[in-house]
Amino acid sequence: MTVQPREGLLNIRPYKPGAAEAPGVENPVKLSSNENALGCSEKASAAFQASADQLHIYPDGGATRLREAIAKAEGLEAERIVCGAGSDELLQLLGKAYLNPGDKVVQSQYGFLVYKLVAMQSLAELVVAPETGYRTDVDAIIEAAGDDAKIVFVANPNNPTGTYIPASEITRLRDALPDETLLVLDSAYAEFVEDPDYEAGIELARTRDNVVMTRTFSKIHGLAALRLGWAYGDPSIIDVLHRVRGPFNVNLPAIEAGIAAIEDADFVRRSIAHNTQWVDYLRQQIGGLGLEVTPSVCNFVLVHFPESGDKTAPNADAYLTSQGLIVRRLEPYGLPHALRITIGKEVENRRLVEALTAFMGQ
Ligand SMILES: *Cc1c(COP(=O)(O)O)cnc(C)c1O
């Protein structure tokens, strides 16, 4: 018998990222991974390039200057921030740090897939709280958590639904959970949300010692390739994450690009404006084809297709792929009749609508 990994690990189905190729089509448009339609800040890519002559140097393991730049841009305390190789790594580290085998982890029905991976890695028990109208249901989470959940993961807004719940609901959730339950607020899309009743969770993460907020440079800052994220919370939680992270978990080019990106408020503003404009366009145009589009505050839309007949989600996906438009299938999320479509550049969005119009008219 060959060497065996820890119990349960072979049950994990590795995370499958959004497709990146359309066989037979040159230069396809990738709308499958919620990347930034505008690319990234020119200042960030210049900082990345300028780091090319320092590749032999270990990065600052504490990412001090990056944490200070984040703190300044967001009005936070640098010592309450820890950086990671993507917020994915921080979610993994939270599992590594807080979960014992058999512990209960709670997530929402269509919650981000990484939470399940985190639970399985720690042999924790995942309990899924049903959603209502593709929206996080706080009462269902409270019920699922009971008096013994160790971690509750809430993506707000959530991927792949694109919906959010207001700050008052998040506070109500925190108040109803046991003090010993860690509430993880995954705010990967926070910057895109313009609704006044939304908050990323900074206030709760500042005032409660059992709330941690995770953020990413992959979406609004367009630095998905560099793998950069951060978490903000009580010093006791941040201290634990520093203990379990790799000594140099964030690389030097990522630190340099991240500092330039978070200081480039103009790029962030332009990204938000572009997104708001084209989310509305896609929702109207696709809705006009008779398809249901879940209202989204993120840089993607969730589009629902008929469950039978020839206008199904798999058929739409096949047609779009044949036209060089790559979108996200959602079978792994239990949404086999829906597709997730990332907001692209203007020409890409128009091409998408044209192709979907042709598909629906066939
Ligand atoms: C994209 C995304 C992340 C961020 O992933 P990174 O590892 O930072 O690239 C986290 N949570 C959700 C819900 C996401 O959609």
Side-chain angles (χ1 to χ4, degrees):
M1 200 168 85
T2 53
V3 288
Q4 292 296 306
R6 272 172 43 227
E7 195 188 327
L9 293 189
L10 296 180
N11 296 331
I12 294 176
R13 219 181 291 170
Y15 182 83
K16 205 165 158 249
E21 279 170 41
V25 186
E26 264 179 57
N27 303 319
V29 177
K30 184 169 181 253
L31 302 174
S32 56
S33 296
N34 302 342
E35 289 139 350
N36 192 317
L38 304 184
C40 73
S41 156
E42 282 175 22
K43 291 172 183 161
S45 87
F48 172 81
Q49 281 173 25
S51 72
D53 61 1
Q54 296 178 68
L55 299 186
H56 59 298
I57 308 283
Y58 276 103
D60 166 18
T64 312
R65 285 168 45 244
L66 174 59
R67 287 189 294 108
E68 285 167 356
I70 294 167
K72 185 155 177 251
E74 305 278 340
L76 305 174
E77 310 77 22
E79 64 279 9
R80 283 173 155 248
I81 295 171
V82 57
C83 295
S87 47
D88 273 356
E89 186 195 22
L90 295 161
L91 297 169
Q92 314 262 354
L93 292 179
L94 285 164
K96 189 172 168 183
Y98 288 96
L99 294 175
N100 286 307
D103 278 351
K104 190 203 276 187
V105 170
V106 176
Q107 69 155 69
S108 195
Q109 185 173 4
Y110 303 116
F112 190 43
L113 271 180
V114 168
Y115 313 145
K116 183 176 179 186
L117 292 178
V118 169
M120 290 184 79
Q121 285 167 11
S122 295
L123 299 185
E125 179 206 354
L126 183 72
V127 179
V128 175
E131 295 192 10
T132 315
Y134 301 106
R135 203 160 158 269
T136 301
D137 180 334
V138 163
D139 292 305
I141 292 185
I142 293 168
E143 193 182 324
D147 60 8
D148 61 348
K150 192 65 194 280
I151 298 184
V152 171
F153 286 106
V154 176
N156 195 35
N158 183 47
N159 167 21
T161 53
T163 59
Y164 79 100
I165 56 174
S168 56
E169 279 291 277
I170 295 286
T171 303
R172 184 165 78 82
L173 171 62
R174 178 61 272 177
D175 288 341
L177 292 172
D179 288 345
E180 301 74 27
T181 301
L182 177 63
L183 175 61
V184 179
L185 297 175
D186 176 349
S187 307
Y189 300 91
E191 296 88 349
F192 290 109
V193 190
E194 295 184 297
D195 304 64
D197 61 351
Y198 173 78
E199 277 173 26
I202 287 174
E203 213 37 53
L204 270 191
R206 178 178 276 140
T207 54
R208 312 287 180 99
D209 63 7
N210 46 20
V211 176
V212 63
M213 172 187 72
T214 60
R215 302 283 287 269
T216 181
F217 280 81
S218 301
K219 308 287 158 60
I220 194 78
H221 297 296
L223 296 177
L226 292 183
R227 313 306 305 124
L228 194 54
W230 52 282
Y232 173 76
D234 192 76
S236 61
I237 299 172
I238 300 305
D239 170 66
V240 167
L241 292 176
H242 276 299
R243 289 171 197 263
V244 296
R245 69 172 171 79
F248 305 103
N249 61 328
V250 177
N251 70 70
L252 187 148
I255 290 175
E256 296 303 327
I259 292 170
I262 201 124
E263 289 175 348
D264 192 347
D266 184 55
F267 178 81
V268 170
R269 263 195 301 275
R270 282 189 287 122
S271 297
I272 296 169
H274 176 89
N275 196 62
T276 306
Q277 176 183 356
W278 293 101
V279 163
D280 287 349
Y281 170 84
L282 284 189
R283 188 172 169 213
Q284 275 176 19
Q285 297 290 317
I286 298 173
L289 299 174
L291 297 169
E292 193 195 321
V293 185
T294 299
S296 170
V297 293
C298 298
N299 67 339
F300 58 84
V301 287
L302 180 69
V303 183
H304 304 268
F305 291 80
E307 298 186 11
S308 58
D310 55 0
K311 308 298 181 202
T312 60
N315 285 355
D317 175 51
Y319 181 76
L320 292 173
T321 304
S322 75
Q323 302 302 301
L325 294 153
I326 306 170
V327 302
R328 185 73 132 116
R329 292 275 289 266
L330 295 172
E331 280 84 354
Y333 282 93
L335 292 164
H337 309 299
L339 296 175
R340 191 193 69 194
I341 305 174
T342 302
I343 306 306
K345 301 185 205 346
E346 172 171 354
V347 285
E348 298 168 344
N349 300 328
R350 293 193 188 280
R351 229 174 105 184
L352 188 277
V353 167
E354 271 170 38
L356 261 188
T357 305
F359 170 74
M360 292 304 289
Q362 269 176 2

